[in-house]
Amino acid sequence: MSDPVVSAIVFYALAAFTLIGAGVVALSGNIVHSAFALFAALFGMAGLYAFLSADLLAVVQMLVYVGGISVLVLFAVMLTSGLDDSRTSNSTTRLVGGIAVMLAVAAAAFVAASAIPSGVESAVAPTTAPIGDLLLGRFVLPFEVVSVVLLAALLGAVTLARGVKGGDR
Amino acid sequence: MLRDVADWIERLFGLDPATFAYSWITNAVVIGIVALMAFVFIAIFAGPVTWWERRIAARMMSRIGPNRVGPQGVLQWLADGIKNFLKEDLVPAAADGPLFKFAPYLVFGGFMATFVVLPFGANLIAADLDVGLLYLLAITGLVVIGMLMAGWSSNNKWALFGGIRSAAQLVSYEIPSAFSLMAVVLAAGTMSMQGIIKAQGAWPWEWFLFRNPFLFVAFFTSLTSSIAEGNRTPFDLPEGESELVAGYHVEYSGMRFLWFMFAEWGNLWVLSSLATVCFLGGWQIPFVSPADIAASTGLAFWGWQALTFAVFATKASLLVAFVIQVRWTLPRLRVDQLMITCWKYLVPLALFCLSGVLVLLWAVEEKGALDWALRGVSMAAGLVLAVASFRKTRASYMADRDLYRRMEGKELWYPPFRLP
Amino acid sequence: MTFAEITQRIGAAFPDGVEVVEDTLLDPAVRVRADSAHAVCRFLRDDPDLYMDSLRVITAVDRPPDAIDVVWHLLSMRHRHTLVLKARVPRDAADIATVSDIWASANWFEREQYDLMGVNFTGHPNLRRLMMPVDWVGHPLRKDYERPASYHGIPTSRSDVTPVTHAEIPQHLPKAETTDGLMRLNMGPHHPATHGVLNFLLETDGEIVRHAEPDVGYLHRGIEKIAEMNTYAGTMPYTDRVDYLGGMFTNQGWAIACERLLGIEVPRRAEFCRIIACELNRIASHLVGTGSMAMDLGAYTPFIHWLRERESINDLMERICGARLTYTYMRIGGVARDIDAATLEQTLKWLDHFEPICAEFDRLITGNEIFVHRLANVAVLTKEDAMSFSIVGPNLRASGVKWDLRRDEPYSIYPELDFEVPVGLGWRGTVGDSYDRLIVRLFEIRECIKILRQAIAMIPDGEIRAKVPRILKPAANEAYGRVEAPRGEAGFYVTSDGTDKPWRVRIRTGCFTAMPVIEHLSPGLMIADIVALIGSLDVIAPEVDR
C-alpha cells in the first residue's frame, strides 16, 4: 500500500481483530461464542493475506476455513451441546500455563521472523498462475500425497459415521 | 473526491495535513461515504427485484400485486423498508443478545461484498480482482455463518432446525456450483470476471453457454446450484413458510428481519449476474470489441458504458424473471430429496462437465472445425429445449384460451382474466 | 341382518348378558351388562356374520341421578348393518372395560368421554384428558357440573372482570424432558401447516420423527353442552361452526337427526335445494383442502387459483342463503330460503367455467414430479388401519375402501342421482398414501359437478319447508343423523327427553378420528412428511375439538 500510515492502520486493525477473536476462542465461557470467534480469527487471517496481496491465498482461506472448517466446527458444537449447556466451556484455571505457552510461542516466532530480511517488497502481482505452476510443477508430489491423505480422511469419516448409524439400528 | 473531503476535514477540524489523525479521519470518512453509496446502489438493485417478484408472482396467481405506492407500485419496497425501520426492535429475552444482533449483518455483509466484483459494464466494476470468481464463491460463505448464528442465537428449536438445514444445504450446493464455475474458468483461462467476459463474445455462438455441450449442461447445474444457494423454492426448506415458519429468521422482526430479506432478494440479482457473466457473455455488445471500448474517450466512453450496462442488466433481469417463475411454480423438495439431488445427481454431473471441458480444451483447437461443430451441437440442443418448452407452454395456453373464449359474453361476477 | 337377528345372536352367545332390548327407539339399541360389554364387542367384531368392523362413535349419556349410559354405535361395512350397543354404569363408580384393543379409534373416543363425562375406562392405555387441561376439576358434560369460578387465576365468567396474573398452565404432556437424545418440538398451536389451532408434540431424532402426539382441545367450545341449553332449532347456527368449511353438511346432519326425532318429512324441492347447496359446499371444501395441501408443500400458486374459484362459490352461496362461510341455511324440515332460477342458471354457468379449470390444476401441479415425490408412498394408511381407526370420507376411500354414505347408507335424494365413488388405487405409489388422498379429492370435485348438473336439471317445484310446529318437542327417543361431509361422516347422535331442549347431543366428525392416525403413522416420517400427512388428511381444528 502506498501510504504507510493507512497501511499501518489497516494492519493493526486486522491484527487486533484476529487476536481478539483468538482470545475469545481461548477465554470465553460459552463454547458457541468460542466457535464464532474462531470464525472471526480465521476471517482476520484472510484479511491479513489480502493485506499482503496474496489474493488467491486470501480467497482460498475464506472458502476453506470460513466456509468449510468454521461451519464444521459450528455444526459440531451446536449438534453436540444441548441448547442449555452451552454456557459451560473451558474453565480458566489453566490460565498460567496458557500464558506461559503463549509467551514461549511468541518468543520463538519473533526469533524466526527476525531471521527473515525485512523490507522485501515484491511487486503486487496476481499470484494464481505462479501458485498453480508450483503446485503442478515443483510440488506435484506433496500435492498428490495431500490429496491421497484427504481421500483417506474422507473415507474414514464416512466409515465412522456409517458405523455409528449402523450400530444404532 | 478524496481531495475535496480532505480539504473539508482540514477546515472542519483544523488539522494539520501531515498528522496521523488527519489521515485516519479522512480515510474513515471516505470509507463511510463509499459504503453508503454502495449500500444505496445495492438497494436500488435489490429493491426493484422484490417489486418485480411480487408483480410476477401476482400475475401468475391471477392477482395484481402491489400497485399503490408509486406508479404501478414501484416504490413499494421503499415503503416496506421505511416501515420495517420504524418497527419495534424485538429481541427475545432468552436469545443470545450480541450474536442475535450481529447475525443479520453477517448475512447482509456476505451478500453485499459480492457486488465488488460484479461487472456491470465494460469498465464498471469496483475491483477487477484476478480471483474474482473465486472471491464471489468464498465471500458467500459468510452467509452460512450468519445463518447458523441467527438460528442458534434465537434460542428456538425451529430456528435452530432451519439454521442447520440451511447451512447444510448451502455448504452442499457450493460444490456443484464451484465445479460448474470451474468449468467456465477452464474455458476462459482466468478467474477474473472481466477476463471471463472478454473470453466470450457478444454473439450467442461465442457465449460459453453454447461453447460445447459440457458447458451447456454446466449452465444448468450452475443455475440449479445457485438457486439452491439462494434458498429459493424448490430449495427453500430452511425458510419453508409452511413447515418451519420461516426457519432461521423466525424470531427476527422489523429491520433485523429486513436485512435477511434484503440479502435474499439481492442474492437473486447476484446469482443471475453470475450466470450472465459466466455463460451469457456478460455485457458484450455485437460488433464492438472490449478493446475499442477501452480506447474510447469522453462521451463515447460513457455512452459505451451505459450501453454495456443496459445489455448486462437485460440479460440478468431475464434470468431473474426465470428464477422467480420457477419459485412460484414448483413445490419444495424435502430435505433428504434435496441432499440426494445435490450429492447423487448434481455433483457427478458437474464433475463430468468439468472433466469434459478439460478434455475438450486439450483436444479441440480454438475456432477450428471441431470447435464450431461442438458449438453447433450445443446451439442445436438449446434450440430443441427452447422449442420444446415453447410448445408445451403453447399447448397449455391454447387449452386455457379455449376455456377463456367460451367465457366471453358470459356474465360472471369477477372478470378474472382481464387484469388492469 | 336385522336388528332382531343380531340381538338373537348376542342373546345366544351371552345368555345373561343382555339386559334390555330397546327396539322402540328409532335406532334400535340393545343394552348389555357393563361387565360383559367388552366381550360382546369382541364377539360382534369377530363373528363372521356380524363383523362389526367399524366403531362409529362412543357416547356417554348422563342419566341422573345414578347412572351413565355408555353407547356404542357399530357398523358393519361388509354386511351393511348397524347396531347400537349400550351399557349402564353407576354414576359414582363409572367403570367399564375399554374396547380400544378391539377398535383403535376407541382410544380417543374413550378419552374424550372420560374427560367430559367421567366414565373410567379400565385397561385404557392412556386415559388422560383430551379436551380440557390436564388439571381441570370436574366433568363438564355431566348434568350436575358446576363450573369453577376461576382456573389458575383466570375467571371463567365475565361477571368477574378483575384482571389477574395467572400461574403457569401445565402442558398436556406428562413425560419429562427426554434424555435419550431426542429433540422435543412443539409443532403448533401457532403453525401455518396445522390447519387450525392444533398442537403436535414431536420427538425427533434430527429430522426423523420418532413420535408425534396430537394435543387437541385448543378450540373446544363445548358445542355439545351448548346444544343441551338451546332448543332444537336454535342449535342450527352452532353446527356451522363445527366444520366451517362444510357448514351445509353439519347443518344437514343436525336437521336429519331432528327430523327423524320429530317424524318430519322434508319436501322434495327442499331436498334438492339441500343437495345443491351441499355439493357446492363440498367443492369449496375440497378446493381449500387440496389447495392448502399444495401450499403446505411449497406450491403457493395452485392454492390461490383454487381460492379464486372458491370466491365464485362464495358468491353463489351468498345468493342462496346470504352468507359466505357460516351458512345456517338448513332448517328443521327444509331450508331457509328458496333457490331462485337465476341462481341456478348462474350455478350452471359457473360449472361450465369451472370444469376445465380442474384440468388446469392438474397441468400445473398434480403431475409435477417434485409434488409426486413429496406425496407418493408417504404415510401409507392401510385398509385395516383405516377401518380400525374409524377413518371416514375421502381418507377411507383413498385407502381402498369403497364406502360412501351417499351410496351405501343413502339419505335425501342421492339414490336418484348418478355418480361414481372414487377409490384410491395407488396411482403413483401405494394404495392409501398421501397422493391417493389428494387424487380422490380431485376426482370427487368432478363427481360433485356431475351431481350438481343432475340436481339442477331435476329440481321440482314445491315447498321448501315442511309444516313444523313452532316449539319442537319430540318424544323421548334417540336418533343418529349422518351425512357424507367432505371430511367424512358428520354424525349427530341426539337423545331427547320430551322437552324442547335435547338431553344429549354427540357430534361425530371425520377429523376427530383422523388425529390418532397421525400419531400412528408418524414414527419414521420426516417433519416435512408430517406436514404432508396433516394436509392430506384434510384435518380441520374445529371438527376435532367442537
Side-chain angles (χ1 to χ4, degrees):
Chain A
M1 300 188 95
S2 46
D3 184 355
V5 176
V6 174
S7 69
I9 296 173
V10 171
F11 172 73
Y12 281 117
L14 285 171
F17 184 67
T18 312
L19 287 174
I20 290 175
V24 172
V25 173
L27 302 172
S28 164
N30 186 333
I31 196 166
V32 176
H33 284 174
S34 300
F36 282 117
L38 180 67
F39 144 73
L42 296 170
F43 191 54
M45 286 290 299
L48 285 169
Y49 287 142
F51 176 68
L52 290 171
S53 308
D55 49 0
L56 183 67
L57 208 52
V59 168
V60 168
Q61 166 89 358
M62 285 288 307
L63 195 57
V64 170
Y65 272 96
V66 173
I69 295 188
S70 288
V71 173
L72 180 67
V73 168
L74 278 167
F75 261 94
V77 164
M78 283 182 187
L79 288 178
T80 50
S81 69
L83 268 177
D84 318 311
D85 63 1
S86 68
R87 313 280 174 243
T88 62
S89 168
N90 35 12
S91 57
T92 51
T93 54
R94 316 256 195 284
L95 198 57
V96 173
I99 291 182
V101 169
M102 193 176 75
L103 285 176
V105 168
F110 186 70
V111 167
S114 39
I116 300 173
S118 63
V120 171
E121 283 280 329
S122 56
V124 174
T127 58
T128 315
I131 291 181
D133 281 335
L134 283 175
L135 275 179
L136 291 176
R138 253 179 76 186
F139 299 108
V140 64
L141 183 60
F143 182 63
E144 294 299 328
V145 167
V146 163
S147 65
V148 170
V149 169
L150 281 174
L151 181 66
L154 197 64
L155 286 173
V158 169
T159 313
L160 277 177
R162 183 177 277 193
V164 167
K165 262 209 165 155
D168 262 4
R169 302 221 187 104
Chain B
M1 191 187 74
L2 185 59
R3 188 53 45 81
D4 296 332
V5 172
D7 291 339
W8 178 76
I9 290 181
E10 193 180 344
R11 276 198 305 277
L12 188 66
F13 288 103
L15 287 172
D16 186 10
T19 57
F20 183 81
Y22 170 83
S23 316
W24 196 83
I25 295 177
T26 313
N27 282 289
V29 169
V30 167
I31 289 173
I33 293 177
V34 169
L36 193 63
M37 281 172 57
F39 178 69
V40 170
F41 183 73
I42 291 166
I44 293 178
F45 277 101
V49 165
T50 69
W51 169 80
W52 205 13
E53 158 139 27
R54 288 168 75 170
R55 290 300 294 243
I56 294 181
R59 272 306 173 124
M60 289 170 71
M61 294 180 178
S62 303
R63 297 182 294 121
I64 302 178
N67 63 344
R68 299 282 175 201
V69 187
Q72 292 297 324
V74 289
L75 298 179
Q76 178 72 40
W77 58 276
L78 210 56
D80 284 338
I82 295 173
K83 173 202 77 168
N84 271 306
F85 200 64
L86 298 173
K87 277 196 172 181
E88 181 185 353
D89 179 17
L90 288 170
V91 176
D96 197 335
L99 289 182
F100 186 82
K101 291 174 187 164
F102 186 60
Y105 302 117
L106 258 187
V107 171
F108 187 73
F111 144 75
M112 184 164 154
T114 59
F115 271 76
V116 168
V117 294
L118 288 184
F120 290 102
N123 292 83
L124 298 174
I125 184 170
D128 189 12
L129 297 179
D130 198 52
V131 289
L133 193 60
L134 202 57
Y135 166 83
L136 206 146
L137 284 176
I139 206 76
T140 47
L142 279 181
V143 174
V144 182
I145 308 274
M147 282 179 183
L148 280 174
M149 199 185 274
W152 173 269
S153 59
S154 301
N155 199 34
N156 179 340
K157 279 177 187 162
W158 289 108
L160 183 64
F161 240 136
I164 289 188
R165 263 189 191 174
S166 72
Q169 177 182 323
L170 255 66
V171 163
S172 303
Y173 276 92
E174 269 174 20
I175 295 176
S177 184
F179 278 147
S180 319
L181 292 174
M182 286 307 119
V184 168
V185 166
L186 279 177
T190 170
M191 284 197 271
S192 136
M193 301 288 253
Q194 296 282 35
I196 293 175
I197 293 180
K198 285 172 185 158
Q200 304 174 61
W203 297 107
W205 52 84
E206 292 170 349
W207 292 346
F208 279 160
L209 175 60
F210 298 120
R211 179 65 72 89
N212 54 56
F214 293 107
L215 279 173
F216 185 71
V217 175
F219 170 67
F220 290 104
T221 58
S222 165
L223 196 63
T224 312
S225 311
S226 298
I227 295 179
E229 290 271 309
N231 278 341
R232 308 275 305 173
T233 323
F235 304 103
D236 70 343
L237 214 55
E239 38 174 86
E241 279 155 25
S242 31
E243 291 171 31
L244 291 188
V245 201
Y248 59 90
H249 49 72
V250 66
E251 293 283 356
Y252 286 86
S253 61
M255 199 60 201
R256 301 191 196 280
F257 173 72
L258 205 64
W259 290 123
F260 285 112
M261 286 294 107
F262 206 138
E264 179 182 326
W265 272 305
N267 204 25
L268 251 190
W269 177 264
V270 169
L271 71 93
S272 309
S273 309
L274 184 65
T276 312
V277 163
C278 293
F279 291 99
L280 297 185
W283 45 255
Q284 295 254 28
I285 310 175
F287 303 122
V288 181
S289 83
D292 295 342
I293 297 179
S296 64
T297 54
L299 193 61
F301 177 75
W302 289 109
W304 285 129
Q305 301 302 317
L307 193 58
T308 52
F309 175 70
V311 166
F312 177 81
T314 312
K315 290 182 188 171
S317 309
L318 286 174
L319 271 181
V320 165
F322 174 70
V323 173
I324 290 175
Q325 286 196 322
V326 164
R327 173 182 187 181
W328 294 102
T329 311
L330 296 177
R332 75 174 67 94
L333 292 172
R334 208 173 49 202
V335 68
D336 65 326
Q337 293 168 344
L338 197 140
M339 287 300 168
I340 287 175
T341 310
C342 173
W343 291 102
K344 283 196 188 171
Y345 294 103
L346 282 182
V347 166
L349 195 58
L351 203 48
F352 174 66
C353 292
L354 181 64
S355 20
V357 168
L358 198 56
V359 165
L360 284 181
L361 264 186
W362 165 78
V364 172
E365 177 196 317
E366 174 111 12
K367 301 247 193 263
L370 190 52
D371 190 34
W372 283 111
L374 285 170
R375 291 186 201 206
V377 165
S378 312
M379 291 195 74
L383 201 65
V384 163
L385 206 62
V387 167
S389 47
F390 176 72
R391 287 175 60 132
K392 204 155 185 219
T393 313
R394 191 163 175 272
S396 265
Y397 170 74
M398 286 309 197
D400 293 334
R401 189 188 65 174
D402 295 337
L403 149 76
Y404 302 162
R405 279 236 179 95
R406 268 187 282 127
M407 287 274 318
E408 296 284 330
K410 292 194 188 190
E411 161 208 322
L412 267 198
W413 298 268
Y414 306 110
F417 313 114
R418 279 182 291 281
L419 293 175
Chain C
M1 297 176 77
T2 64
F3 175 70
E5 290 171 9
I6 299 175
T7 24
Q8 204 181 42
R9 284 286 194 103
I10 298 176
F14 298 88
D16 49 351
V18 176
E19 283 185 5
V20 175
V21 173
E22 299 171 6
D23 51 4
T24 54
L25 296 175
L26 286 166
D27 294 317
V30 54
R31 176 142 46 102
V32 297
R33 282 208 350 239
D35 47 4
S36 52
H38 181 260
V40 171
C41 286
R42 188 171 283 286
F43 168 70
L44 286 171
R45 207 276 306 267
D46 293 339
D47 185 271
D49 291 324
L50 292 173
Y51 200 64
M52 302 285 185
D53 48 16
S54 179
L55 169 69
R56 271 185 144 139
V57 65
I58 298 181
T59 315
V61 184
D62 199 8
R63 298 280 181 205
D66 52 0
I68 293 181
D69 276 346
V70 181
V71 184
W72 293 267
H73 278 77
L74 300 170
L75 164 71
S76 172
M77 290 186 191
R78 183 183 294 174
H79 299 295
R80 291 168 197 267
H81 54 231
T82 63
L83 177 69
V84 181
L85 189 68
K86 291 193 189 184
R88 183 159 281 190
V89 291
R91 236 159 154 252
D92 43 359
D95 300 314
I96 192 166
T98 178
V99 298
S100 55
D101 50 340
I102 308 175
W103 298 285
S105 56
N107 192 321
W108 271 44
F109 282 137
E110 288 171 358
R111 273 181 74 183
E112 188 187 354
Q113 297 312 305
Y114 159 69
D115 184 11
L116 298 175
M117 194 64 91
V119 179
N120 179 25
F121 291 91
T122 56
H124 193 281
N126 188 18
L127 199 63
R128 283 182 290 126
R129 286 191 180 263
L130 191 68
M131 300 290 178
M132 312 304 291
V134 286
D135 60 347
W136 194 265
V137 170
H139 299 282
L141 275 178
R142 288 204 177 184
K143 293 293 179 182
D144 59 349
Y145 172 69
E146 289 224 355
R147 192 177 51 204
S150 72
Y151 173 67
H152 282 268
I154 308 171
T156 57
S157 69
R158 284 180 195 265
S159 54
D160 178 350
V161 291
T162 322
V164 292
T165 57
H166 53 89
E168 178 88 20
I169 297 178
Q171 282 283 305
H172 268 247
L173 191 69
K175 294 174 266 187
E177 187 75 32
T178 58
T179 51
D180 48 0
L182 298 178
M183 185 153 91
R184 272 295 173 70
L185 270 179
N186 240 342
M187 187 163 163
H190 294 277
H191 197 280
T194 52
H195 292 251
V197 194
L198 294 171
N199 193 12
F200 293 93
L201 301 156
L202 302 178
E203 284 173 22
T204 68
D205 175 15
E207 186 74 30
I208 302 185
V209 173
R210 294 281 174 234
H211 187 66
E213 181 178 334
D215 172 25
V216 299
Y218 289 90
L219 205 49
H220 180 65
R221 295 150 290 171
I223 292 186
E224 294 179 359
K225 183 89 177 176
I226 290 175
E228 294 173 17
M229 300 188 225
N230 280 333
T231 60
Y232 288 88
T235 313
M236 190 62 84
Y238 289 94
T239 56
D240 275 307
R241 276 80 177 164
V242 170
D243 177 6
Y244 54 74
L245 284 180
M248 293 290 189
F249 294 95
T250 41
N251 280 345
Q252 190 176 16
W254 175 252
I256 288 179
C258 295
E259 283 151 14
R260 286 187 72 200
L261 277 177
L262 292 160
I264 298 172
E265 190 179 319
V266 178
R268 225 172 121 71
R269 185 177 172 88
E271 292 280 23
F272 273 91
C273 287
R274 282 184 175 182
I275 296 307
I276 291 171
C278 280
E279 292 303 320
L280 272 177
N281 201 191
R282 192 192 307 276
I283 297 180
S285 172
H286 281 327
L287 291 184
V288 175
T290 50
S292 52
M293 193 194 323
M295 187 175 71
D296 287 342
L297 295 181
Y300 308 101
T301 310
F303 180 57
I304 308 286
H305 289 174
W306 262 174
L307 283 186
R308 179 193 69 204
E309 300 309 318
R310 189 166 167 262
E311 279 302 303
S312 305
I313 297 184
N314 282 344
D315 283 349
L316 284 172
M317 290 301 202
E318 199 177 351
R319 289 174 74 114
I320 293 176
C321 66
R324 282 163 54 96
L325 190 71
T326 48
Y327 307 115
T328 318
Y329 176 52
M330 318 262 173
R331 298 283 183 266
I332 298 178
V335 294
R337 302 170 63 183
D338 197 7
I339 306 183
D340 56 350
T343 310
L344 290 175
E345 207 181 301
Q346 285 286 17
T347 312
L348 279 175
K349 279 191 203 166
W350 178 77
L351 287 173
D352 288 336
H353 152 79
F354 175 67
E355 202 160 355
I357 295 198
C358 299
E360 183 185 282
F361 185 82
D362 284 339
R363 277 202 305 276
L364 178 58
I365 196 72
T366 315
N368 186 298
E369 275 308 305
I370 300 178
F371 198 62
V372 170
H373 278 278
R374 282 298 298 275
L375 290 177
N377 294 317
V378 166
V380 175
L381 185 62
T382 59
K383 202 187 267 202
E384 294 74 28
D385 276 340
M387 302 286 292
S388 182
F389 277 96
S390 297
I391 303 292
V392 284
N395 300 327
L396 180 66
R397 293 194 274 282
S399 292
V401 179
K402 195 160 181 167
W403 179 262
D404 186 331
L405 285 178
R406 298 174 288 175
R407 178 53 57 79
D408 299 305
E409 280 193 359
Y411 56 97
S412 187
I413 47 153
Y414 280 112
E416 304 172 34
L417 299 171
D418 173 36
F419 58 97
E420 297 279 325
V421 172
V423 172
L425 295 174
W427 276 282
R428 297 292 289 264
T430 45
V431 177
D433 60 10
S434 304
Y435 195 69
D436 272 2
R437 291 191 274 273
L438 170 81
I439 296 288
V440 162
R441 289 192 172 89
L442 290 175
F443 278 144
E444 278 191 13
I445 295 178
R446 292 169 169 88
E447 297 305 319
C448 290
I449 298 176
K450 247 197 252 176
I451 296 176
L452 275 169
R453 286 196 207 272
Q454 293 171 43
I456 294 178
M458 286 164 59
I459 187 168
D461 294 324
E463 293 286 320
I464 54 156
R465 210 178 315 163
K467 288 282 174 283
V468 161
R470 283 202 58 196
I471 302 182
L472 298 168
K473 267 199 195 169
N477 212 326
E478 298 169 5
Y480 183 71
R482 72 277 174 283
V483 294
E484 177 75 20
R487 275 160 202 85
E489 173 184 327
F492 289 79
Y493 173 52
V494 184
T495 308
S496 67
D497 60 346
T499 62
D500 60 343
K501 297 187 167 56
W503 179 254
R504 172 81 166 100
V505 172
R506 175 83 170 99
I507 308 175
R508 185 258 198 267
T509 52
C511 294
F512 185 78
T513 46
M515 293 301 284
V517 166
I518 296 175
E519 185 176 3
H520 174 70
L521 290 178
S522 60
L525 289 183
M526 293 198 220
I527 295 186
D529 292 331
I530 300 275
V531 171
L533 171 61
I534 298 172
S536 69
L537 287 174
D538 203 2
V539 173
I540 264 202
E543 266 210 348
V544 177
D545 296 336
R546 282 156 284 120

